[in-house]
Amino acid sequence: MTDRMAGEDQPFTSAELGEIEAEARAAIEAASSLPALDAAERDALGKRSRFSGLYRELGRISPDGRKSAGQVLHELRRRLEDMADSRRAELEAVERAERMAADHLDLSEVLPGELAGHLHLVTEVREQLEDVFVGMGYEIAEGPEVETDWYNFQALNIPLDHPARSSVDTFFLELAGSEDARYLLRTHTSPVQIHLLERGELPIYAVVPGRVYRRDTPDATHLPVFHQLEGLVIDHGITFGDLAGTIDTFVHAIFGEQVSTRLRPAYFPFTEPSAEFEMTCQICGGSGCRTCSMTGWIELGGCGMVHPAVLEATGVDPEEWTGFAFGFGVDRLAIMRHGISDMRAFVENDVRFLRQFA
Amino acid sequence: MRAPLSWLRALTPLSAEAGDRSSVVELASELDSLGLVVERTEWVGEGLSDVVLARVLEVAPIKGADRIRRVVVDRGGGETTEVVCGAWNFEAGDVVVLAPVGSVLPGDFRMERRKMKGVVSNGMLCSGRELRLSEDHEGILVLARPGSEAPHVPGFTLGTPLSDHLGMSLDVVFDLAIEPNRPDCLSMLGIARDLAAHYGLPLHTPEPRVTEGERPAVDLATIEIDAPELCQRLLGRVLTGIRPAPSPLVVQRRLILAGMRPINHVVDASNYVMLELGQPNHPYDLALLGGGGLRVRAAHPGETIVTLDGATRILGGRERRDDDLLAGLDGLICSANDVPVGIAGVMGGHSSEISEGTGQVLLEVARFSALAVGRTSRHVGLRTEASIRFERGVDPEGMERAADRFCELVVDAAVAAGVEPPVVARGLVEANPRPFERTNLTLRPPRVNALLGLSLSAEQMMDLLRPIGYEITDTREGADGGTRPADGAGVEQVPVIVPSFRPDVTREVDVIEDVARTYGYRRIPKSDRRSPYVGKLDELQRLRRRVRRVLAGLGAHEAWTSSIVDPAEQQLAGVTRSLIPLSNPMVAEESVMRGGLLAGLLTALRHNAGHRNPWIRLFEVGDVFGLAGGFELVTAPEEGERVALVLARQNDDAGAAVNAWRVVADAVGLEGIEVTQDSDGTENLGGLHRARSGLLVVASPDTLAGVPHEPGELAPGTVLGAVGEVDPDVLAAFGVPHDRVGWLELHLDRLVGAPRRAELARPVSRYPSSDIDLAFSVDESVPARQVEAVIRTAAGDLCERLELFDVYRGAGVPEGRRSLAFRLRLVALDRTLTDAEVAEVRRRCVDSVQAALPATLR
């Protein structure tokens, strides 16, 4: 800008303007708070400012000069306003940062709230098992815990004088009734096999989880009340090989592909041939340890081909239909998996124990 | 069943040796695979083969030593050895045990040549403890002294390893779990037979030889069976001229390893025969049997006998039943004079026991009814080696062999002990009212393959069955053995004769199991058979899972309490229904089936409070039981599934329980279930605070009018559970320290049939809603839900939400009333409501409430 723009027509000199601008810039720059900035902006551009005085004088000069001088003033105002805006943004950011900092919360001083509860370990394991079998196309069947002698024993080909029928192992109920319909607490989940067969819908692919009872004194590995999971498959042409393959399939699904299974002969009145099934010891991985008595194998449960007498008892023709059944202890599985040394912890219901699991 | 390897090897030439650990482990694994489960493998008699018999020749002092001496021993074959010994309990001429240099004693202790006080010691004379034969360490083991040689240690050969001398070589004992269907394997012979078949080895069945005397047994003793349903056959052998003698060491050793105590050569022979052949038997002192014979009959009710163990047993005490021929019948063995001398198949009597003075023996070998022995054994509470075997079934064709084996062993023992052997009377005394017949079955090879998933030929199957005792006419010959189909593709049927020692094999499938077992379960290929169905949980199962998770979300831990409980505690917990008692409880505190879940959960709460965790919530899902009411003679048990939540956090009370119920109902989608407090459903409110608890019931259709829902199967008024607070007296009775404990219980099995939230989606309005707050001063007798119901009806379709948001009692509200403030949110689907419309609804609500109820707008 030249010294005096457009000669006498100009109401101000460029030095004058420069002075105004420098003064305003310094004031805006110096403003350390939003009110101070507002004041500085008011001082620089407000109605009573020198700058506004120059504006007012524009009216007194020629229209030509007014236009160019007005533009100069307008540009100056824009520059100063921009500067103030950016200073304002700066100050606002600082102020926000201070405000936020003052709102600091030490997350480790948060008082504890209420946590969610936990499913029982046995429920947890039972549901996992159910899910595996649902995935294999099995239904989950259930039955009553109070059973009759017929369902728990006779129909399952457990002869009248089988030791398991003696009152040493079975809880009987004191109910008026005939001898044959004697009520008892089921000693296994197998009576549900009979209920399923009696339903008459074949083929059957089912598993039966549930609570069972044995007249045992409670100790670290036995409770008189415990849980089993039983499987029953009845179809055309079911073989012992299918049983072995099915056990392989679900043990892999539960314990992982690295685990092997095998069968060894055993005796159950309601299956023939009967077997115990074993899997690779989870403690030593099969190399032999104290848990598996150096064999590398851990017994998991019992199984076998459904005895023809069981099918006959429910009116199913064993020449047309064959099948297999298997069963194992849910609690035992939970104990094995979580390294629980005493089963009695299950019924104590101590929250310090309960809340350890899923 | 304890089976020593050395005994099994005497019956079949197994390659496994006790000294070769891996061969023993392999044998144990094969036993497992045969279904003879090895529960434990024990090694016995280690370190006894390195030490030898030696005779002391000279004992001399060592200069400068007062505690040790120089000893020269003759170790046989003209060799002498010089050792230094610190023991003083022997002298020249004694037979002692020498551990020469290089031998290894038990505990892996190797003998070295040593020098003491200038004298070289070439080994050690051993004490009983050093050999782990006894606890004796006072001095060395002196086996014999000149002139006083023990009668049972016949002859010494110096230099003989001690193991050979004692007949105690290194051995292994397998502790086997024998399944109830394999009574044949309750004997060394049976186990050896399975192993011989498995390994393709010959089986050396004992074929005893008995030299009989002149006198016929029938002149010396009689045998009679009065009750053939209890005893099918009884045979006897008579031995005279018995002189007491110890059994040979090998017999004693085998009995000890098998878990029995050697007594004398007669009793030992009896036990040995049972262990070896599986046939229980009993020797009587014939002179003590009045009338010189035996008679089997049913015991009279209350008849007593003193058994070998000195206990008095009462027989025949069970009730007899018409439909069961054996009920109440205990088999009793009597002398010919009808004096009880034994419980059939269980235990012999005290009065005719073999003793030092026994001169004549009558041996009883019987075939008792398995059923009868089992019942008697359970009834008198006495399980013996004999009863276990009879109960499962003893080989009916092995009886003569067992009797002869006994005679042979008794004679051999006498000969070995150097006493005059007894005379075996000629022939048997016998009663055989029910001769045994073998079972004949038909095996269909195609059926075998179909059931096992194999493709064996008939001949392969026969080769598996023959070695374990099945008799089969050769199928290759065709003819009468097997019937071939016209195309000759395979044998359709094979007649098989079941071995006499396999009472468990009664139908074809049992033979199929034997094929599978001998073929090897592990060799049967695994196949993959898939279900044709789509698996899924049913509605109850889905509901149960959801309820469990909602309750856990409310902070409750899942508990599991016993279903067998204390009747007194059930009563304390307010269970009033008839409980089902157990007829054979273990303890009185666990003698009935639980009628509710309250007692169990309060006990769990007390346990946790006792461990300083009082502020918790617990829930349980499980069945409860009771007797169905009615007047019928036969009562039926009732079983239903419940879920219960106990709320015991700080400030938990009936209100917390109601809110928990609301969360459950909302999460599960239950609709139209009311909390009613006006009912007197005492059964369902047992143990609860009556004034602060209510029933959850299916609402009536009137109440549900206008509420979109899917009605369930349950009739209106059906009780679904209870909600509220536990009775403070009940809390105190259970030792629960809390002032208030909330309670929610649901009949899980009924929830499936409960009304549910409508499935169809309802549209959500896009228009603004308006809230109206209405506070009424309401008489205390009117439940808030009644006011709410009137407002809801009055507001009609425009009501989007209605909520009680404040309850106030005090200044400004008259005595006997309280202020209930509701917030009603109105909205229309198709427009913004005008002020006039809102005002109209408000007026309707206020008027309806004031008209219908003792309530006034505040």
Side-chain angles (χ1 to χ4, degrees):
Chain A
M1 199 177 284
T2 51
D3 189 30
R4 257 209 189 260
M5 297 173 74
E8 287 305 311
D9 248 3
Q10 294 294 357
F12 46 78
T13 64
S14 60
E16 213 174 341
L17 271 189
E19 194 181 301
I20 288 173
E21 180 169 3
E23 211 172 277
R25 278 180 178 276
I28 288 169
E29 192 103 9
S32 60
S33 68
L34 287 173
L37 177 63
D38 289 346
E41 202 178 356
R42 204 163 49 238
D43 289 349
L45 301 171
K47 283 182 182 153
R48 293 195 194 108
S49 63
R50 266 174 83 192
F51 178 83
S52 291
L54 295 182
Y55 247 112
R56 281 193 293 276
E57 284 183 29
L58 281 183
R60 283 183 283 142
I61 61 172
S62 66
D64 280 358
R66 193 187 302 160
K67 190 178 179 190
S68 69
Q71 188 150 2
V72 170
L73 287 180
H74 182 70
E75 277 167 11
L76 175 59
R77 171 186 284 272
R78 274 249 312 269
R79 279 203 302 283
L80 291 177
E81 277 174 356
D82 285 353
M83 189 187 167
D85 284 351
S86 79
R87 180 63 184 153
R88 179 167 290 110
E90 269 172 43
L91 288 174
E92 273 171 1
V94 168
E95 195 165 286
R96 184 183 132 76
E98 282 169 0
R99 205 168 58 234
M100 300 294 281
D103 199 26
H104 165 81
L105 174 65
D106 172 3
L107 295 181
S108 61
E109 74 179 23
V110 175
L111 299 181
E114 296 293 355
L115 298 177
H118 300 256
L119 300 191
H120 198 281
L121 183 54
V122 171
T123 301
E124 204 54 49
V125 172
R126 170 179 162 164
E127 290 188 356
Q128 276 174 26
L129 295 172
E130 286 176 353
D131 291 346
V132 165
F133 286 103
V134 165
M136 288 167 67
Y138 285 55
E139 71 170 296
I140 311 295
E142 296 173 24
E145 292 166 20
V146 168
E147 274 291 2
T148 60
D149 195 87
W150 164 259
Y151 286 102
N152 196 72
F153 291 130
Q154 291 179 46
L156 286 162
N157 192 39
I158 302 179
L160 201 65
D161 282 76
H162 192 275
R165 292 185 63 147
S166 78
S167 58
V168 178
D169 301 305
T170 309
F171 283 116
F172 292 99
L173 301 179
E174 214 171 279
L175 286 168
S178 73
E179 183 77 3
D180 280 346
R182 208 151 55 135
Y183 288 106
L184 47 81
L185 297 179
R186 64 178 178 189
T187 58
H188 46 188
T189 41
S190 308
V192 183
Q193 287 188 21
I194 305 301
H195 292 293
L196 283 165
L197 284 162
E198 281 182 343
R199 195 174 66 182
E201 292 166 23
L202 298 169
I204 296 169
Y205 288 77
V207 286
V208 184
R211 186 175 277 206
V212 301
Y213 302 81
R214 299 258 171 101
R215 217 166 163 277
D216 272 335
T217 309
D219 62 26
T221 54
H222 294 90
L223 290 176
V225 181
F226 59 104
H227 302 85
Q228 280 188 340
L229 186 125
E230 173 120 359
L232 177 70
V233 167
I234 304 286
D235 205 341
H236 292 292
I238 295 285
T239 70
F240 193 81
D242 295 335
L243 166 62
T246 301
I247 283 171
D248 228 27
T249 304
F250 74 72
V251 169
H252 284 161
I254 297 164
F255 291 97
E257 290 293 326
Q258 77 286 355
V259 172
S260 308
T261 67
R262 68 176 196 186
L263 305 183
R264 71 167 188 222
Y267 169 72
F268 305 106
F270 38 94
T271 50
E272 190 85 17
S274 301
E276 296 273 4
F277 58 99
E278 301 174 297
M279 64 169 203
T280 318
C281 176
Q282 293 290 283
I283 306 295
C284 61
S287 57
C289 65
R290 274 179 55 199
T291 305
C292 59
S293 312
M294 303 310 292
T295 60
W297 296 90
I298 287 274
E299 187 185 311
L300 208 55
C303 62
M305 301 302 291
V306 176
H307 199 291
V310 173
L311 297 174
E312 286 159 2
T314 53
V316 174
D317 180 5
E319 292 295 319
E320 186 187 350
W321 300 93
T322 55
F324 59 75
F326 56 84
F328 52 91
V330 176
D331 318 73
R332 236 192 108 230
L333 208 69
I335 280 180
M336 269 166 58
R337 185 178 292 182
H338 294 276
I340 293 162
S341 56
D342 193 334
M343 241 175 118
R344 284 168 289 194
F346 282 151
V347 280
E348 217 168 55
N349 298 307
D350 195 309
V351 290
R352 292 169 297 176
F353 176 76
L354 296 178
R355 62 163 62 109
Q356 290 177 45
F357 311 101
Chain B
M1 179 81 195
R2 291 173 57 87
L5 176 58
S6 58
W7 203 339
L8 296 175
R9 277 168 58 104
L11 295 165
T12 185
L14 298 167
S15 63
E17 283 183 48
D20 177 0
R21 258 193 129 77
S22 65
S23 74
V24 173
V25 170
E26 193 264 350
L27 179 59
S29 154
E30 293 309 304
L31 281 164
D32 265 354
S33 78
L34 290 168
L36 306 171
V37 178
V38 179
E39 297 196 314
R40 214 152 54 102
T41 306
E42 275 171 48
W43 269 266
V44 290
E46 279 168 295
L48 295 184
S49 50
D50 281 8
V51 296
V52 298
L53 303 194
R55 191 182 294 274
V56 178
L57 297 176
E58 186 188 338
V59 186
I62 298 172
K63 203 178 275 178
D66 52 2
R67 307 187 65 144
I68 53 175
R69 297 184 292 179
R70 188 174 63 87
V71 183
V72 180
V73 298
D74 174 3
R75 55 183 292 189
E79 261 186 82
T80 58
T81 299
E82 194 170 289
V83 299
V84 174
C85 184
W88 294 75
N89 66 326
F90 60 96
E91 53 200 69
D94 287 358
V95 178
V96 296
V97 181
L98 169 72
V101 169
S103 63
V104 180
L105 293 185
D108 225 10
F109 178 58
R110 173 175 286 273
M111 290 311 304
E112 308 284 355
R113 179 170 286 111
R114 291 174 64 196
K115 204 172 191 178
M116 282 175 277
K117 297 281 180 188
V119 182
V120 174
S121 182
N122 296 298
M124 183 177 88
L125 303 183
C126 304
S127 73
R129 194 164 82 187
E130 280 158 344
L131 296 170
R132 300 213 176 141
L133 286 173
S134 68
E135 283 305 299
D136 185 18
H137 199 51
E138 290 298 299
I140 61 167
L141 185 66
V142 177
L143 292 173
R145 193 149 276 176
S148 65
E149 277 165 25
H152 62 284
V153 189
F156 293 92
T157 310
L158 300 183
T160 309
L162 181 63
S163 54
D164 291 0
H165 174 71
L166 295 177
M168 290 171 70
S169 52
L170 178 63
D171 207 343
V172 166
V173 180
F174 298 110
D175 201 346
L176 302 173
I178 305 297
E179 297 281 10
N181 66 330
R182 293 302 306 280
D184 59 313
C185 286
L186 290 173
S187 70
M188 302 302 156
L189 180 63
I191 297 164
R193 183 187 295 115
D194 260 25
L195 287 172
H198 182 68
Y199 285 113
L201 298 170
L203 179 69
H204 305 307
T205 307
E207 299 299 347
R209 286 185 194 175
V210 181
T211 310
E212 296 180 336
E214 285 300 306
R215 221 164 148 197
V218 287
D219 287 0
L220 296 162
T222 58
I223 275 180
E224 223 180 309
I225 295 178
D226 288 357
E229 68 277 20
L230 299 176
C231 179
Q232 284 93 43
R233 186 184 181 202
L234 190 79
L235 61 82
R237 273 282 194 182
V238 179
L239 294 87
T240 57
I242 297 274
R243 310 263 185 301
S247 298
L249 280 173
V250 62
V251 169
Q252 293 194 32
R253 175 76 173 158
R254 283 180 182 174
L255 289 175
I256 290 170
L257 290 181
M260 299 194 96
R261 195 164 49 93
I263 293 165
N264 59 49
H265 74 313
V266 175
V267 175
D268 291 353
S270 166
N271 286 331
Y272 192 96
V273 166
M274 178 182 69
L275 292 172
E276 184 181 62
L277 304 175
Q279 170 72 55
N281 58 88
H282 189 75
Y284 296 86
D285 186 328
L286 185 56
L288 298 178
L289 285 177
L294 294 175
R295 180 176 164 221
V296 188
R297 63 165 170 83
H300 308 307
E303 200 163 6
T304 61
I305 178 174
V306 179
T307 42
L308 276 176
D309 54 5
T312 303
R313 314 280 174 176
I314 304 167
L315 297 170
R318 285 169 300 157
E319 225 173 278
R320 287 171 191 245
R321 288 206 347 246
D322 294 341
D323 58 341
D324 186 346
L325 287 176
L326 288 176
L329 298 184
D330 291 322
L332 188 67
I333 300 169
C334 297
S335 71
N337 291 348
D338 207 33
V339 176
V341 293
I343 304 175
V346 180
M347 194 180 264
H350 186 65
S351 62
S352 51
E353 191 179 357
I354 301 296
S355 66
E356 287 290 303
T358 299
Q360 294 189 346
V361 165
L362 170 59
L363 176 76
E364 161 218 303
V365 176
R367 184 171 154 235
F368 294 116
S369 150
L371 228 60
V373 171
R375 289 186 190 182
T376 299
S377 153
R378 280 194 289 281
H379 177 234
V380 299
L382 190 58
R383 282 197 97 202
T384 61
E385 293 285 339
S387 75
I388 287 168
R389 286 173 174 79
F390 279 122
E391 204 179 321
R392 296 179 182 183
V394 170
D395 182 5
E397 292 182 2
M399 293 171 68
E400 286 90 345
R401 177 187 293 130
D404 288 353
R405 181 71 169 140
F406 171 85
C407 297
E408 183 182 59
L409 286 167
V410 172
V411 170
D412 287 357
V415 171
V419 301
E420 196 182 320
V423 176
V424 180
R426 184 157 48 80
L428 303 169
V429 235
E430 187 187 2
N432 189 8
R434 299 274 164 88
F436 170 75
E437 278 175 31
R438 290 222 207 161
T439 307
N440 289 284
L441 294 173
T442 301
L443 184 70
R444 294 165 298 167
R447 174 74 179 172
V448 177
N449 286 327
L451 198 67
L452 299 181
L454 290 173
S455 44
L456 301 176
S457 70
E459 198 46 44
Q460 282 173 297
M461 293 176 198
M462 299 314 118
D463 288 346
L464 292 169
L465 291 173
R466 275 195 200 93
I468 55 171
Y470 284 90
E471 284 178 27
I472 298 132
T473 318
D474 199 326
T475 51
R476 277 169 304 195
E477 300 300 324
D480 53 355
T483 51
R484 286 169 189 279
D487 62 2
V491 180
E492 288 291 331
Q493 290 195 343
V494 182
V496 297
I497 303 170
V498 178
S500 58
F501 47 81
R502 291 295 303 276
D504 61 301
V505 179
T506 57
R507 54 192 291 175
E508 182 188 32
V509 71
D510 301 318
V511 186
I512 297 178
E513 180 178 72
D514 272 340
V515 173
R517 199 170 54 80
T518 48
Y519 179 77
Y521 279 13
R522 291 166 200 170
R523 286 172 61 203
I524 296 174
K526 294 172 182 176
S527 45
D528 201 11
R529 179 73 171 235
R530 287 300 164 124
S531 162
Y533 299 116
V534 174
K536 68 179 171 72
L537 300 180
D538 69 20
E539 204 175 348
L540 173 62
Q541 289 159 351
R542 283 201 304 273
L543 191 78
R544 187 193 290 136
R545 283 194 179 193
R546 199 165 333 158
V547 167
R548 272 198 163 107
R549 275 159 185 77
V550 171
L551 294 178
L554 287 167
H557 301 290
E558 186 177 8
W560 152 24
T561 70
S562 179
S563 331
I564 307 174
V565 295
D566 185 347
E569 288 201 343
Q570 291 291 295
Q571 202 175 1
L572 275 185
V575 175
T576 51
R577 64 200 294 201
S578 311
L579 298 176
I580 306 179
L582 301 183
S583 50
N584 57 340
M586 305 231 281
V587 286
E589 293 74 31
E590 292 163 18
S591 60
V592 297
M593 298 307 292
R594 64 180 175 193
L597 299 173
L598 181 58
L601 285 172
L602 288 181
T603 304
L605 194 54
R606 179 183 56 209
H607 169 89
N608 282 292
H611 288 88
R612 308 183 64 203
N613 287 312
W615 309 119
I616 55 172
R617 292 175 172 182
L618 295 171
F619 76 96
E620 178 169 9
V621 179
D623 287 5
V624 300
F625 308 82
L627 290 172
F631 301 97
E632 299 87 5
L633 284 173
V634 178
T635 44
E638 264 184 346
E639 179 174 348
E641 191 175 13
R642 302 274 176 92
V643 54
L645 167 70
V646 64
L647 303 103
R649 281 191 190 158
Q650 265 164 317
N651 303 321
D652 270 353
D653 60 1
V658 168
N659 274 320
W661 155 245
R662 287 173 181 156
V663 171
V664 170
D666 183 51
V668 174
L670 299 169
E671 191 78 78
I673 297 165
E674 303 184 303
V675 180
T676 63
Q677 278 179 279
D678 40 8
S679 150
D680 59 350
T682 47
E683 185 191 316
N684 294 288
L685 284 182
L688 301 186
H689 190 314
R690 292 298 154 91
R692 296 174 69 87
S693 303
L695 295 179
L696 300 168
V697 299
V698 177
S700 68
D702 306 349
T703 323
L704 284 175
V707 181
H709 71 284
E710 314 275 345
E713 301 159 1
L714 294 180
T718 306
V719 174
L720 290 179
V723 62
E725 235 170 73
V726 181
D727 185 328
D729 288 353
V730 173
L731 293 180
F734 276 84
V736 172
H738 304 60
D739 291 334
R740 294 188 186 279
V741 167
W743 179 254
L744 169 65
E745 180 168 8
L746 298 169
H747 293 254
L748 202 51
D749 45 4
R750 290 186 197 163
L751 285 189
V752 175
R756 301 293 187 85
R757 185 179 293 149
E759 265 187 25
L760 283 182
R762 272 166 291 157
V764 173
S765 175
R766 297 163 186 283
Y767 297 91
S769 56
S770 311
D771 285 356
I772 307 174
D773 287 357
L774 297 166
F776 293 96
S777 158
V778 186
D779 194 278
E780 293 279 9
S781 66
V782 179
R785 68 183 169 86
Q786 226 169 312
V787 183
E788 194 180 314
V790 174
I791 298 175
R792 193 181 294 279
T793 312
D797 290 344
L798 294 179
C799 171
E800 184 187 78
R801 204 163 79 187
L802 176 61
E803 215 171 60
L804 177 68
F805 72 92
D806 188 47
V807 180
Y808 170 74
R809 288 178 179 84
V813 182
E815 190 69 19
R817 294 193 161 206
R818 82 282 200 203
S819 160
L820 299 173
F822 293 90
R823 179 160 297 153
L824 173 62
R825 176 162 293 175
L826 300 173
V827 77
L829 276 179
D830 54 352
R831 64 189 190 284
T832 304
L833 294 174
T834 62
D835 289 352
E837 277 177 299
V838 172
E840 168 56 18
V841 172
R842 185 176 193 282
R843 193 193 50 75
R844 240 177 18 231
C845 291
V846 172
D847 289 355
S848 307
V849 169
Q850 295 190 143
L853 302 167
T856 46
L857 187 70
R858 292 187 66 217

